[in-house]
Amino acid sequence: MILTDDQRMLQDVVRPFMAEEGAIKPQLRHWRDSGCKDGFGHGLWKQIAELGLTGMLVPESAGGAGLGQVEANLVLEEIGRNLTPSPFLTTSVAGVRALEGSAHAERWFPGIVAGETVVALAIDEGKAHNPAATALEAKRQGNGFLLNGTKQFVVHGASADLMLVAARTGGAAGETNGVTLFAVPQDMAGVAVENVALADSSKAARLTLSNVAVDADAVVGEVDDGWAPLSRGLNAGRAGAASELVGIAAGASEMTFDYLKQRKQFGRLIGEFQVLQHRAAHLYGEIEIARATALKAAQLLDAGDPRAELMTAVAKAKAGKVARLAVQEGVQMHGGIGMTDEHDIGLYMKRQAVLDELFGGPRFHAGEVARLSGY
């Protein structure tokens, strides 16, 4: 449960870079206030690529760094700590893992490595995350398929060059058999995109696919067996999201602890009040537990351990709850100023609320823990 020397060196490079280049004012606030349709800066995305981070999960044979989930999680924790808007989680983590080993990797990996390609996952159709409930129809036509249906909460959907669309070629909604994953360029005829701003000012899309004609080569993996690449991508995304949530919790708590050391009330620093000290200590302990859980999930994924899916669900649920605690405590301890837009603490609360639901919230993953444990 400790980092290697190489992983610590990576952390030492990424932490100051994100703190400077990916900080809230030049990135999140800038792109939010400018009304950017992407919600992130392509210039920063290229900088991240120049550091070799966008392709860190891409094999060396394909021009990437050939690193693992632990290294990706270290990057994501710093992204969370600074609320850095970027497509790293969906593209460089979930997208890469879903595409690996398929014929599509050769086409799309070079653009991901170069920081020129954005990938979006079009999975959810209902109010809550439930990939097995996929109902979007993929009907055979000649040598290909016609896709018809809708998707929502497609993060970076309007900015994506490639969308990985889960569709049903067999079975019934609620079953994992019969789900097929398709690689669909966004500019294909019949794809309608409604770009919307989420609570944290990031962008997601509602997609409508109307008779979108794709050939058999668009299939990622095998027909009716898209659950394998989909699960691979989702588990990587969930483990990564857990670390980003840990970063959100750490960033919010650091800001709060600094405030406790500066704000005076009744002639004393509020950090001297024992009740606040107890709450701060409890929060610190919870963050360390969440960080250890996310690290363990990443290590098991890298090792191909059969327990990885279970631990990933544990990590996403735990990190979501801890991040919620951190931002709630942060806003409350800041008092009235914590409710204003000019103070950054509220931005952490908004980002936590969105990321908590991406790839499934604590309730969904608690259910997964029970299912995977035989209940």
Side-chain angles (χ1 to χ4, degrees):
M1 295 297 292
I2 59 174
L3 301 178
T4 66
D5 290 341
D6 287 344
Q7 289 164 350
R8 290 188 182 279
M9 287 177 61
L10 172 65
Q11 193 176 51
D12 290 341
V13 170
V14 174
R15 179 164 292 177
F17 171 80
M18 290 298 176
E20 182 175 349
E21 301 295 336
I24 292 173
K25 186 175 181 179
Q27 294 298 330
L28 189 152
R29 285 190 179 276
H30 171 74
W31 298 115
R32 183 197 68 171
D33 297 342
S34 65
C36 172
K37 77 173 185 65
D38 299 320
F40 67 91
H42 289 272
L44 179 63
W45 186 229
K46 288 288 289 185
Q47 286 181 276
I48 295 173
E50 289 166 2
L51 283 178
L53 303 180
T54 57
M56 63 193 315
L57 295 184
V58 174
E60 291 182 84
S61 59
L67 298 176
Q69 186 75 40
V70 172
E71 288 79 9
N73 279 21
L74 293 176
V75 175
L76 283 161
E77 182 170 338
E78 300 311 313
I79 285 175
R81 189 188 303 272
N82 296 283
L83 302 184
T84 306
S86 85
F88 185 85
L89 177 60
T90 54
T91 298
S92 297
V93 180
V96 166
R97 285 304 192 209
L99 289 169
E100 68 182 13
S102 74
H104 299 280
E106 183 177 353
R107 176 182 177 185
W108 295 104
F109 277 2
I112 293 174
V113 172
E116 298 170 352
T117 295
V118 173
V119 179
L121 274 67
I123 308 299
D124 292 318
E125 301 174 14
K127 294 181 179 179
H129 178 68
N130 187 4
T134 293
L136 186 144
E137 181 186 43
K139 186 177 181 179
R140 284 191 179 274
Q141 177 178 270
N143 190 39
F145 299 85
L146 278 181
L147 305 181
N148 283 283
T150 60
K151 297 288 183 181
Q152 62 181 356
F153 198 23
V154 182
V155 176
H156 303 309
S159 310
D161 303 284
L162 171 68
M163 297 184 296
L164 297 178
V165 181
R168 189 159 291 283
T169 49
E175 299 177 354
T176 58
N177 292 329
V179 172
T180 301
L181 192 63
F182 291 90
V184 181
Q186 193 220 66
D187 58 1
M188 290 197 68
V191 177
V193 180
E194 179 189 358
N195 197 26
V196 297
L198 301 177
D200 64 342
S201 76
S202 64
K203 305 296 183 180
R206 298 188 182 100
L207 302 182
T208 301
L209 285 76
S210 303
N211 290 324
V212 177
V214 296
D215 57 32
D217 292 339
V219 175
V220 180
E222 301 292 335
V223 175
D224 290 340
D225 193 27
W227 195 255
L230 177 60
S231 294
R232 191 169 59 239
L234 285 176
N235 283 328
R238 290 161 177 164
S243 278
E244 186 172 342
L245 284 162
V246 170
I248 290 170
S253 65
E254 288 164 8
M255 185 175 292
T256 302
F257 296 163
D258 285 343
Y259 186 73
L260 295 180
K261 298 173 185 177
Q262 299 170 18
R263 178 75 166 93
K264 286 188 176 182
Q265 195 170 27
F266 307 116
R268 296 174 59 188
L269 292 170
I270 60 175
E272 295 177 3
F273 295 117
Q274 193 175 56
V275 66
L276 295 185
Q277 292 175 351
H278 286 172
R279 288 165 62 178
H282 174 248
L283 176 57
Y284 175 83
E286 288 292 294
I287 293 172
E288 289 301 307
I289 293 171
R291 179 178 287 117
T293 307
L295 174 60
K296 186 63 176 179
Q299 290 174 336
L300 292 178
L301 283 172
D302 286 339
D305 193 293
R307 298 170 296 168
E309 186 176 8
L310 172 61
M311 187 54 66
T312 297
V314 172
K316 182 63 164 66
K318 179 63 177 178
K321 288 187 174 182
V322 171
R324 185 185 299 115
L325 173 66
V327 298
Q328 288 175 343
E329 290 285 68
V331 170
Q332 187 175 45
M333 291 186 190
H334 274 82
I337 196 174
M339 300 297 293
T340 64
D341 182 68
E342 66 187 61
H343 200 286
D344 290 341
I345 190 64
L347 300 177
Y348 283 90
M349 175 172 278
K350 293 175 181 179
R351 178 58 182 158
Q352 181 276 329
V354 171
L355 189 58
D356 199 26
E357 290 302 318
L358 182 62
F359 306 137
R363 180 173 295 181
F364 172 86
H365 287 291
E368 287 295 281
V369 170
R371 180 182 66 81
L372 293 167
S373 299
Y375 294 100

